[in-house]
Amino acid sequence: AQKATSFLEPRDIIILDSSTTVSMMVPYLARELDLTIICYNYHILSQLPKDENSNMIFTGGIYNHHMQMFESTEGINIIKEHRAKKCFFSTSGIHERLGMTCSYPYEVLTKRASLSSSAMRILLTDSSKFGVVTTSYFAKLTDCDVIITDDGISEEWIKTIESLGVELHI
């Protein structure tokens, strides 16, 4: 989470994905950066600084208690109509051929909209997700610009990521 926030610059517009992994960034967000934050997760929204240095765009919609995520066609359109410099997102599984997957189909369209509306896509994931396939495909591994993970990642995965030209931070 701390490494992810090191990518932030003053006046960045960012998207924070709906996940416990991404929510770990919130305590490290520097208030002086004057960020605009687009999010669709109640837990993340409730933890964000609420002062004049931050602007928030919350998509709203139908509340999913399990994920604390709001989902709606209107919310997806809000994401599509805005542009972000960086999107911080997570995944439930990463497979070299089958791509990145999430556990719930209702996450797919929101994740895709977030990735397509962002100049830089930064994946935050723990090493246990590599080689895992879950039910709902949302993007290719090459749709990441940066991957941040822990030191449990295998040498084989390090080589795979480097061969794809994706920036890796361990």
Side-chain angles (χ1 to χ4, degrees):
Q2 275 184 297
K3 180 63 177 177
T5 59
S6 73
F7 284 85
L8 296 173
E9 300 169 317
R11 294 175 298 290
D12 264 353
I13 302 166
I14 64 171
I15 297 175
L16 297 178
D17 187 29
S18 184
S19 74
T20 54
T21 305
V22 172
S23 72
M24 302 300 275
M25 290 176 60
V26 175
Y28 302 107
L29 295 175
R31 293 175 183 253
E32 66 274 2
L33 289 178
D34 191 23
L35 301 173
T36 296
I37 302 166
I38 302 169
C39 79
Y40 38 88
N41 179 281
Y42 175 75
H43 176 71
I44 291 173
L45 177 69
S46 69
Q47 302 301 310
L48 288 172
K50 301 188 179 46
D51 56 35
E52 66 278 355
N53 290 333
S54 58
N55 301 300
M56 291 179 242
I57 299 170
F58 191 73
T59 63
I62 298 168
Y63 182 63
N64 180 298
H65 291 279
H66 177 71
M67 290 286 297
Q68 295 191 19
M69 175 183 170
F70 285 83
E71 56 175 310
S72 67
T73 302
E74 296 81 8
I76 291 168
N77 287 334
I78 287 171
I79 295 167
K80 287 179 178 179
E81 291 169 4
H82 287 82
R83 293 295 180 255
K85 191 165 180 189
K86 298 169 182 102
C87 174
F88 297 90
F89 71 103
S90 66
T91 184
S92 298
I94 305 165
H95 188 272
E96 184 177 0
R97 187 172 53 82
L98 299 176
M100 293 181 287
T101 53
C102 53
S103 298
Y104 306 102
Y106 58 80
E107 296 177 88
V108 171
L109 295 178
T110 306
K111 283 182 176 289
R112 286 181 182 166
S114 297
L115 293 173
S116 68
S117 293
S118 301
M120 177 182 254
R121 289 104 14 133
I122 303 168
L123 173 64
L124 283 66
T125 188
D126 63 84
S127 60
S128 70
K129 303 296 193 286
F130 291 96
V132 172
V133 176
T134 57
T135 57
S136 302
Y137 167 79
F138 68 90
K140 300 177 294 195
L141 190 52
T142 53
D143 290 330
C144 296
D145 298 299
V146 176
I147 297 175
I148 301 172
T149 192
D150 61 83
D151 62 4
I153 187 171
S154 71
E155 283 298 320
E156 180 182 332
W157 270 105
I158 292 171
K159 289 176 185 172
T160 298
I161 292 165
E162 289 173 348
S163 74
L164 295 172
V166 176
E167 186 178 326
L168 177 64
H169 294 268
I170 300 172

